Amino acid sequence: MEACKNAPQPAPQLGVVGRAGSTESFQLSRWAPSAKAGEFVEHFWSVHWDLADGDTHDSTVITFPVVHLTHEWGTDGSRHGYPMPATLVHGVVDTVFRTTLQRSGSVVGARFHPGGFAARFGRDVSAYTGRVVPVDDELFGPAFTVDAERERAGRCLDDAIADHHREPDATYRSLRRLLDGIRDDHAVRRVEQLMERSPWSTRTTQRVFQRYVGVTPKWVLCRYRLQRAALDIETRSAIDLADLAVRHGWYDQAHFSHDFRTMLGCAPGEYANTYRA
């Protein structure tokens, strides 16, 4: 973890809006899970900020179809409606994740693989979609605590997730293969293409996505396309938005602009003027 703390941060970054211009506002680190936790967790991460009194930083993330488990503390009083410190479950954010950082604070989190939280804990993830809730006593037990120091907090979360007797089930393994494939293959843009790759019927695929991922296959495909389009806008010095829209699977620029504005609250051109590196 220490090496990851000191590594230079890539910028811009897929899903993190305006990362290139925010490197002085907060420190973001990522590191790999242990082998056993890694059956369910993609990576651990931490973020720390220490802002002058009265200063704020608005952070926006075009979220992935994943659940996060976080331990959070700081001098900013409350976050997500809960007093600090708190250990929280963040369901899939079906719009974009926005938060305003102020004063000083830290978060250590586990980003689960899509479906990983459901497979590890046996819970229906759709119950968490669009919500942030405190960890309940049944998740790890009433004696579960997290150390208030970033590196030790990360180890606490890793140990707790790794301490299980639940093997990844066959549905989760098949879902992981399906989602990894559509994430990496940019040619998969329509639900019909996803269903052609699915090992299940259309109805069963929908049910699996609802329980394990918390959102629909259509939502997942649109989110991956939107993330890639936003990253293209940030990284290219000049870009034809009409070409970009078609290249990422929208019917035309008007449909792309509508989806982009609905999700991020601004037009693609405005986004380019604000965040282009």
Side-chain angles (χ1 to χ4, degrees), residues 231-240 272 276-277:
L231 186 64
D232 267 1
I233 291 172
E234 288 196 40
T235 54
R236 299 190 178 196
S237 58
I239 194 164
D240 184 326
R276 182 176 290 153

Side-chain angles (χ1 to χ4, degrees), residues 26 35 43 48 69 111 146 148 178 205 232 251 265:
F26 60 88
H43 65 252
H48 175 73
L69 175 66
R111 172 168 144 173
V146 180
L178 175 62
T205 301
D232 267 1
Y251 179 73

Side-chain angles (χ1 to χ4, degrees), residues 2-260:
E2 188 63 35
C4 195
K5 280 185 182 179
N6 298 325
Q9 294 297 326
Q13 191 170 319
L14 186 69
V16 182
V17 173
R19 179 62 181 138
S22 63
T23 54
E24 294 181 359
S25 299
F26 60 88
Q27 303 166 17
L28 175 65
S29 304
R30 294 179 177 177
W31 63 96
S34 65
K36 200 163 185 181
E39 294 174 331
F40 307 101
V41 173
E42 183 175 342
H43 65 252
F44 287 92
W45 56 272
S46 71
V47 62
H48 175 73
W49 64 95
D50 189 4
L51 302 175
D53 286 345
D55 287 353
T56 61
H57 175 77
D58 294 325
S59 178
T60 302
V61 179
I62 309 171
T63 50
F64 290 79
V66 298
V67 173
H68 290 260
L69 175 66
T70 66
H71 184 68
E72 313 194 15
W73 62 99
T75 64
D76 47 345
S78 66
R79 236 173 280 153
H80 315 298
Y82 301 104
M84 296 291 102
T87 306
L88 306 170
V89 177
H90 299 248
V92 173
V93 181
D94 46 4
T95 53
V96 293
F97 176 81
R98 288 188 173 91
T99 188
T100 298
L101 307 180
Q102 55 186 333
R103 304 179 72 179
S104 65
S106 297
V107 182
V108 171
R111 172 168 144 173
F112 285 80
H113 290 293
F117 187 88
R120 167 61 179 85
F121 298 106
R123 297 192 176 187
D124 185 339
V125 170
S126 65
Y128 294 92
T129 298
R131 302 175 63 207
V132 180
V133 299
V135 165
D136 59 67
D137 288 346
E138 295 180 2
L139 200 67
F140 296 116
F144 175 69
T145 59
V146 180
D147 199 295
E149 190 278 328
R150 277 184 289 167
E151 188 160 347
R152 290 196 295 270
R155 287 198 295 267
C156 286
L157 293 180
D158 193 307
D159 290 346
I161 295 168
D163 183 18
H164 66 88
H165 305 288
R166 182 188 295 273
E167 292 300 317
D169 59 76
T171 299
Y172 170 56
R173 292 186 186 279
S174 296
L175 177 67
R176 280 277 308 277
R177 288 192 293 270
L178 175 62
L179 285 167
D180 287 349
I182 65 174
R183 178 199 63 204
D184 297 336
D185 188 347
H186 298 188
V188 180
R189 300 168 177 171
R190 300 189 308 277
V191 173
E192 293 81 1
Q193 294 173 298
L194 181 152
M195 293 302 174
E196 289 173 359
R197 296 181 174 217
S198 174
W200 309 293
S201 68
T202 297
R203 186 174 180 180
T204 299
T205 301
Q206 296 281 1
R207 287 203 304 264
V208 168
F209 268 71
Q210 189 74 9
R211 175 175 176 79
Y212 281 78
V213 189
V215 287
T216 65
K218 181 178 180 180
W219 186 97
V220 172
L221 288 173
C222 186
R223 179 51 54 100
Y224 284 148
R225 290 158 55 207
L226 183 64
Q227 288 175 330
R228 292 192 290 262
L231 186 64
D232 267 1
I233 291 172
E234 288 196 40
T235 54
R236 299 190 178 196
S237 58
I239 194 164
D240 184 326
L241 292 176
D243 174 71
L244 179 142
V246 174
R247 184 155 41 84
H248 285 289
W250 276 273
Y251 179 73
D252 56 23
Q253 186 177 349
H255 286 83
F256 168 58
S257 295
H258 174 269
D259 287 353
F260 199 95

